[in-house]
Amino acid sequence: MKLVKKYWSVFFLVITLSLFLAACGSSTGSGSSGDKLVVATDATYAPMEYMDDSGNIVGIDIDIVDAIAEAAGIEVEYKNYGWEPLFAAVENGEVDFAVSSITITDDRKESFDFTDPYFVANQVILVPANSDVESFEELKGKKVAVQINTTGHEVVKGLLGKTSSDIVAPKTMPLAITEMLNGNADAAVGDNSVVLEYVKNNPDVELEIIEDDSFEKEYYGLMVKKGNSEIVDRLNEGIQKIKEDGTLKELTGMDIE
Ligand code: ARG
């Protein structure tokens, strides 16, 4: 009798355990199945999105999306796609959305949907400290490095011409800055927070940041496949909550209406 009782309790333990494991398994489903959304990023953009020493995707954008997800009751998982591939990944539905300091532009709005803005930025010019350049206008006739297909690339095309061979446009912002340091470009143009962070992290390199009034304010949004209003609405709900409760201001140091 005692022995039978023991078998029963082992039996129940095994059943409970397998039910528990099955439940865990189903909640880690990928992509748009289940409640975990897959998020593409280009983790070469410190302090916004980058890899820490242990290979984790971290940064201000990541903290913001974590907070949005928590507020909206969503689970998220980040994947490092790189800048240009992330647009394709959103478009073909391989991921649910992208966070990557992506400026909301009319051009992009033709192919993608965006959430409400969560961050304000602008372009700045980075030059070697001994440069004679003092404004954006003065980059005419110079070589300028930008990250390909960014808003920085667009403004520089506006100044130098769409197909100008004076534009050096590698795949990442750190590579664009390297082109300048190697003397392949006279200046680099990119988002302020990222250029500032580079200068801060490289005190031995003599650099200068130039602000120019002609650069317009840019608003970052989360980028979603065109027509996927369900995800946009849920993310906006989270953004609204973290705007109202002060979390977004805490994370960014800025007021965004
Ligand atoms: N804000 C700029 C744009 O949208 C640059 C963003 C680049 N982001 C990145 N993670 N590389 O074009």
Side-chain angles (χ1 to χ4, degrees):
M1 186 62 185
K2 231 183 174 178
L3 198 69
V4 171
K5 234 184 174 174
K6 205 169 178 184
Y7 274 127
W8 268 113
S9 45
V10 170
F11 179 64
F12 276 120
L13 193 78
V14 169
I15 294 284
T16 327
L17 216 98
S18 35
L19 283 177
F20 175 68
L21 288 177
C24 289
S26 65
S27 67
T28 52
S30 74
S32 358
S33 66
D35 250 358
K36 184 181 257 187
L37 301 187
V38 180
V39 189
T41 192
D42 168 28
T44 64
Y45 218 59
M48 303 307 291
E49 44 266 333
Y50 60 101
M51 294 291 209
D52 70 8
D53 293 337
S54 343
N56 299 311
I57 300 171
V58 296
I60 298 172
D61 264 348
I62 306 303
D63 292 343
I64 293 171
V65 170
D66 281 345
I68 293 169
E70 200 188 324
I74 307 169
E75 259 194 86
V76 285
E77 179 192 346
Y78 302 96
K79 288 199 176 156
N80 188 14
Y81 269 80
W83 178 244
E84 291 198 276
L86 73 75
F87 289 86
V90 172
E91 196 157 26
N92 66 29
E94 213 171 300
V95 298
D96 296 294
F97 69 96
V99 62
S100 224
S101 305
I102 306 170
T103 303
I104 305 167
T105 66
D106 288 341
D107 218 27
R108 288 176 182 156
K109 278 203 283 196
E110 283 179 17
S111 319
F112 297 95
D113 284 341
F114 284 90
T115 61
D116 296 333
Y118 65 87
F119 199 93
V120 190
N122 57 263
Q123 299 300 310
V124 294
I125 306 162
L126 182 67
V127 288
N130 62 6
S131 167
D132 54 3
V133 170
E134 279 172 4
S135 69
F136 186 52
E137 246 338 271
E138 287 171 26
L139 290 180
K140 264 193 186 148
K142 307 252 181 202
K143 278 197 177 276
V144 183
V146 292
Q147 180 181 18
I148 193 162
N149 286 344
T150 55
T151 44
H153 196 177
E154 285 308 312
V155 295
V156 172
K157 277 183 192 166
L159 183 78
L160 303 183
K162 256 192 157 83
T163 56
S164 167
S165 57
D166 284 337
I167 304 176
V168 185
K171 283 187 176 151
T172 71
M173 192 59 203
L175 284 175
I177 295 176
T178 304
E179 293 285 2
M180 186 201 77
L181 298 177
N182 290 345
N184 297 331
D186 303 292
V189 172
D191 291 16
N192 52 346
S193 59
V194 175
V195 171
L196 253 146
E197 180 80 0
Y198 184 87
V199 171
K200 205 176 81 191
N201 289 340
N202 295 276
D204 302 339
V205 192
E206 300 205 347
L207 296 167
E208 199 187 322
I209 295 176
I210 298 165
E211 307 255 3
D212 191 298
D213 289 346
S214 68
F215 294 133
E216 283 169 13
K217 273 190 185 167
E218 298 185 22
Y219 295 88
Y220 295 170
L222 305 176
M223 193 174 77
V224 179
K225 186 184 168 115
K226 190 126 194 100
N228 199 341
S229 56
E230 201 186 308
I231 292 193
V232 175
D233 290 348
R234 269 193 97 177
L235 293 172
N236 276 341
E237 189 189 308
I239 291 175
Q240 200 49 42
K241 279 192 186 156
I242 68 164
K243 278 182 180 172
E244 275 164 19
D245 73 8
T247 308
L248 186 62
K249 186 167 183 185
E250 221 169 84
L251 292 173
T252 62
M254 42 178 87
D255 271 316
I256 300 126
E257 328 74 56

